[in-house]
Amino acid sequence: MAAPSSNTCGAMERSIRERVPPLLTDLYQFTMAYAYWRAGRHQEPAVFELFFRDNPFSGGFSLFAGLHDCLLFLRSFRFTDEDVEFLRSVLPPATDPAFFKFLRELDCSGVTLRSVPEGTVVFARVPLMEVAGPLAVVQLLETSLLCLVNYASLVCSNAARFRLAAGPRRKLLEMGLRRAQGPDGGLTASRYTYIGGFDLTSNVQAGFLFGIPIAGTMAHSYVTSFTSLDEVWPQTLVVLNGDPDPVDIISLTKGWLSRVCKLLEAQPGKIREGELAAFLSYAIAYPQNFLPVIDSYSVSCSGLLNFCAVALALCELGYRPVGVRLDSGDLCRQSVDVRRVLRLCSEHFSIPAFDSLIIVGTNNISEESMVELNKKENEINVVGVGTHLVTCTKQPSLGCVYKLVEVRGKPRMKISEDPEKSTIPGRKAVYRLIDAEGHPYLDLVSLAIESPPEAGVPLSCYPLGCGDSSISVTPAQVTCLRQEVYLKGQVTHPLCSAAETRAKVQISLQTLHPRHKRLQEPDSYTVALSEELHNLVIEIRRGSTNNSNFLLAN
């Protein structure tokens, strides 16, 4: 298992610039920007909000992720000559040439971003990001920001659920690159599953870019590529910190294999020579990192015996093997059997380190199978998860949206036939109310011009989804949930490493009450509007109804 590399900020920024250029958006963003520009409205001050409508995976919470990438994207937002020429070729021929000059000079120096901190536990309908600036620019940012936040938050939340299912003791290895939705999906998954609570990744590029600890051993193909001990080369290994003369490790291992078979009353005739050769070859290459997969043939009849023989030979030469990987069958039962044999060898051959070798389990692990794993007796120390983690099979999209809430200082509201799709107007502030035990219990969304709630002072608010019914609450503590992170072309809040954001996630989750963290049937968390904001929604709805026939009336 490799140590993390240093955090390479320059490489990360280059990666974002290459993967998320300004052209990574929908065509209609450019057609709207042109129409705003043509009408002389492109510089009007506007405010958009980013939020999602339902907590993912039928759960009680989500984690907000992707902000780091959004900030790097905003900082590098520029159209190149090549970008502009391509847009000239795809927009209608009648498009005014001066618009392309406008695009070439465009940047995000006029944009302000206020956001919930990355790694924070968040809930449906809470405005996570507020993007303010010239109308044409903030419109052009929509799709890119959604792309950067949607999947990152979803897979980060999925990882947090796996971590809750696994418990704090077990290490979790993300190994989903080969099953991810393309290279970028694989990189995003590796970064944000680590932030969500995984300990390791198999993705080497993610280790380079993000400083995530990487781990890996061998595949079944390596084992099955060997058929005979004659294929092992070199056939010697020197003693660690000892005699410099090479030792014939094949003869040494054969001796140990005979002793192990006798101890376990095993049948030597069922042992696969090719598997033993593969283990020996790998051990000679990596005597300090020996962790083979032992189920290519039969765990009990061949794989475990071969592992013990090679590992005991390494121990005799002063090296310390790492452990084994199980990748098929009943992982719980097999892990118990493996641990029993390791302990027996430890006691019989007086090698204490053998008892603490790790057992890695990998076999199409889902959240449900992780929960079941904890209900059964097992000895698995590390669980590797791929497909169900990175593809988010239970829910493929978070469904974040980006909606206009203010233009020229006037609130804007989408009033839909589907109430769920209506938006909440106006520029806002978001506060988290905390009870006397330190648990958050209500997020209050109010107009930005309102005075903030105060600890110990009762307030009246309107929970979303409860119509015109109000409640009175008295917070023990109040936290302002959003902060300014980007202003005048500059990132104004320190960019955190993946490890730092990962630590914030755990702190945020620890404060959440267990009833909201339950994987099945969690209690709903309350998100409410202030009285003034609730009244504004009613007023706009009423005004919309009264003005619906103004054309006919005039």
Side-chain angles (χ1 to χ4, degrees):
M1 295 187 180
S5 65
S6 61
N7 192 349
T8 51
C9 294
M12 285 183 62
E13 187 144 13
R14 286 194 303 274
S15 176
I16 287 292
R17 192 163 54 242
E18 292 165 2
R19 292 183 293 122
V20 197
L23 290 188
L24 190 70
T25 188
D26 296 306
L27 180 61
Y28 79 171
Q29 308 294 3
F30 289 105
T31 59
M32 285 189 289
Y34 176 68
Y36 286 138
W37 178 86
R38 184 78 177 182
R41 299 189 58 205
H42 55 291
Q43 296 288 2
E44 289 181 1
V47 180
F48 283 81
E49 286 179 345
L50 185 149
F51 61 94
F52 59 91
R53 294 188 174 103
D54 296 293
N55 294 322
F57 311 113
S58 301
F61 69 93
S62 181
L63 288 169
F64 175 57
L67 175 62
H68 180 279
D69 294 345
C70 289
L71 293 172
L72 294 182
F73 166 71
L74 293 177
R75 191 160 70 182
S76 64
F77 185 91
R78 298 282 192 289
F79 290 98
T80 65
D81 289 336
E82 188 178 12
D83 294 337
V84 171
E85 286 309 306
F86 177 75
L87 288 171
R88 196 190 301 272
S89 73
V90 296
L91 288 174
T95 304
D96 190 327
F99 175 66
F100 299 106
K101 183 175 184 296
F102 163 74
L103 288 179
R104 186 65 183 89
E105 297 170 352
L106 207 59
D107 60 23
C108 286
S109 58
V111 172
T112 300
L113 177 63
R114 296 172 66 238
S115 175
V116 172
E118 186 158 33
T120 302
V121 169
V122 291
F123 306 96
R125 305 293 296 186
V126 172
L128 306 177
M129 292 170 56
E130 177 194 270
V131 187
L135 179 56
V137 180
V138 290
Q139 181 71 69
L140 283 170
L141 298 177
E142 175 181 5
T143 303
S144 302
L145 294 179
L146 286 171
C147 181
L148 289 169
V149 169
N150 255 313
Y151 179 62
S153 297
L154 183 73
V155 79
C156 189
S157 304
N158 201 26
R161 291 177 63 87
F162 271 92
R163 168 51 70 195
L164 289 171
R169 180 179 63 88
R170 236 183 287 275
K171 284 200 170 184
L172 296 177
L173 164 66
E174 177 270 316
M175 44 187 291
L177 179 58
R178 65 188 58 196
R179 303 289 171 80
Q181 292 93 335
D184 188 60
L187 271 177
T188 303
S190 295
R191 175 177 173 83
Y192 290 104
T193 55
Y194 176 67
I195 286 173
F198 272 59
D199 303 283
L200 307 155
T201 181
S202 66
N203 186 338
V204 179
Q205 178 73 351
F208 168 69
L209 287 175
F210 313 130
I212 302 172
I214 57 176
T217 55
M218 64 169 69
H220 294 103
S221 58
Y222 185 85
V223 177
T224 58
S225 73
F226 288 82
T227 58
S228 166
L229 289 172
D230 294 337
E231 296 168 301
V232 178
W233 187 262
Q235 299 186 343
T236 59
L237 190 64
V238 297
V239 178
L240 182 67
N241 302 323
D243 191 338
D245 293 332
V247 174
D248 182 349
I249 192 170
I250 292 182
S251 296
L252 185 63
T253 300
K254 283 181 176 179
W256 276 111
L257 183 58
S258 177
R259 295 166 71 181
V260 169
C261 287
K262 183 177 179 181
L263 173 65
L264 301 178
E265 299 180 348
Q267 300 178 36
K270 293 186 177 181
I271 293 174
R272 303 294 293 249
E273 182 180 341
E275 184 178 53
L276 180 60
F279 289 2
L280 271 166
S281 179
Y282 200 85
I284 292 166
Y286 296 104
Q288 297 280 46
N289 298 84
F290 183 53
L291 196 160
V293 59
I294 63 171
D295 68 327
S296 297
Y297 303 108
S298 167
V299 172
S300 60
C301 295
S302 181
L304 182 55
L305 301 171
N306 282 330
F307 167 78
C308 288
V310 176
L312 288 164
L314 287 174
C315 288
E316 184 175 336
L317 298 179
Y319 300 96
R320 179 163 181 161
V322 177
V324 301
R325 177 163 75 98
L326 299 167
D327 190 49
S328 61
D330 186 336
L331 298 183
C332 292
R333 179 187 57 77
Q334 288 187 103
S335 70
V336 171
D337 292 342
V338 169
R339 182 66 69 198
R340 178 184 59 80
V341 169
L342 295 179
R343 285 176 179 152
L344 192 58
C345 289
S346 174
E347 295 168 4
H348 187 79
F349 300 120
S350 300
I351 302 178
F354 231 67
D355 190 23
S356 59
L357 298 181
I358 69 170
I359 299 173
V360 181
T362 58
N363 184 19
N364 200 33
I365 304 293
S366 65
E367 181 186 303
E368 289 77 15
S369 58
M370 187 78 79
V371 171
E372 287 301 311
L373 195 73
N374 277 347
K375 293 179 180 178
K376 297 179 181 179
E377 180 188 5
N378 71 86
E379 291 286 341
I380 298 173
N381 307 104
V382 180
V383 179
V385 191
T387 304
H388 295 291
L389 175 67
V390 304
T391 65
C392 300
T393 47
K394 291 176 66 176
Q395 181 177 325
S397 174
L398 180 58
C400 283
V401 293
Y402 183 89
K403 298 298 181 183
L404 180 70
V405 295
E406 184 181 282
V407 177
R408 300 189 305 276
K410 301 293 181 64
R412 291 291 184 267
M413 178 179 179
K414 175 186 175 185
I415 301 172
S416 174
E417 292 183 2
D418 181 354
E420 286 294 312
K421 289 201 168 186
S422 295
T423 59
I424 301 170
R427 197 164 197 169
K428 306 175 189 72
V430 185
Y431 302 96
R432 181 153 288 175
L433 308 190
I434 300 168
D435 64 22
E437 296 178 347
H439 298 302
Y441 68 96
L442 185 146
D443 283 3
L444 180 73
V445 183
S446 64
L447 291 170
I449 59 174
E450 293 185 64
S451 299
E454 298 179 32
V457 178
L459 64 92
S460 178
C461 58
Y462 291 80
L464 292 174
C466 295
D468 292 329
S469 300
S470 65
I471 59 173
S472 179
V473 294
T474 305
Q477 300 175 56
V478 177
T479 301
C480 182
L481 206 52
R482 294 194 310 204
Q483 53 193 315
E484 183 184 280
V485 294
Y486 187 88
L487 178 68
K488 296 180 179 178
Q490 299 296 319
V491 176
T492 57
H493 198 269
L495 290 171
C496 294
S497 68
E500 290 168 332
T501 307
R502 183 177 186 272
K504 290 181 179 181
V505 164
Q506 295 310 310
I507 292 170
S508 188
L509 280 170
Q510 285 167 13
T511 64
L512 193 59
H513 197 283
R515 67 175 182 268
H516 299 306
K517 288 190 286 189
R518 286 199 300 261
L519 298 179
Q520 300 296 324
E521 299 181 354
D523 284 1
S524 295
Y525 185 88
T526 304
V527 176
L529 305 184
S530 69
E531 194 164 8
E532 193 168 337
L533 181 53
H534 174 75
N535 291 338
L536 176 63
V537 171
I538 292 175
E539 180 184 333
I540 291 177
R541 284 187 179 278
R542 188 176 295 137
S544 173
T545 302
N546 292 340
N547 294 331
S548 60
N549 292 318
F550 79 99
L551 287 175
L552 293 177
N554 291 287

